[in-house]
Amino acid sequence: VDDLKTSSSKRTIAASTDIAMWIIDHRKAQTVERLAASSWGDDQLVFASPTGNVLSPPNTRRQLDAVCATITAAGQQSDPGAAPFTAVRPNELRHSCLSLLSAEGVSNEALADLAGHTTTRMVDEVYRHQLHPVVRSAAGARWGQEASS
């Protein structure tokens, strides 16, 4: 709801069919919430608080922490020795998304466009992380075993 940094920041981003369908379903559920509420702040928001207002960053972080805690609990239920799922911040989800798309072979130009950058510099220097070496390294690790000398 804030002003964008630059006029070129306003753009249309194509969404896959499954994302588009999810947004339609989300909008229907939100309409039900809006009609049931005694008052609703702004019916133009796609992601709104339970009262239809702009989401509060601290509340959003707490909700994301709760999701991470749920993942940890589920993992430890099936494996009591499982490590906790590291809590993430909303900003880190942006990094992860771009990194995963990069690992799938999406070009830096397309990643920069998706992120709203005019050049690939930020993608190259900040957002794009090489996942394959990390995954290969983790796959070859001897987790929970003593390394032989």
Side-chain angles (χ1 to χ4, degrees), residues 16-102:
S16 64
T17 303
D18 58 336
I19 295 295
M21 294 307 297
W22 182 88
I23 289 173
I24 289 168
D25 290 344
H26 170 73
R27 197 67 167 155
K28 288 176 186 174
Q30 192 176 56
T31 299
V32 170
E33 290 177 21
R34 187 177 77 238
L35 293 173
S38 58
S39 67
W40 193 264
D42 183 349
D43 64 0
Q44 296 300 308
L45 294 173
V46 175
F47 301 103
S49 73
T51 58
N53 294 304
V54 174
L55 292 169
S56 151
N59 286 344
T60 301
R61 285 190 294 274
R62 275 192 290 278
Q63 288 173 331
L64 188 53
D65 285 346
V67 168
C68 293
T70 299
I71 293 169
T72 293
Q76 290 177 338
Q77 196 170 38
S78 62
D79 177 6
F85 185 84
T86 304
V88 295
R89 297 285 162 242
N91 181 22
E92 293 168 322
L93 296 175
R94 177 180 170 97
H95 287 258
S96 297
C97 176
L98 293 178
S99 296
L100 291 169
L101 289 171
S102 173

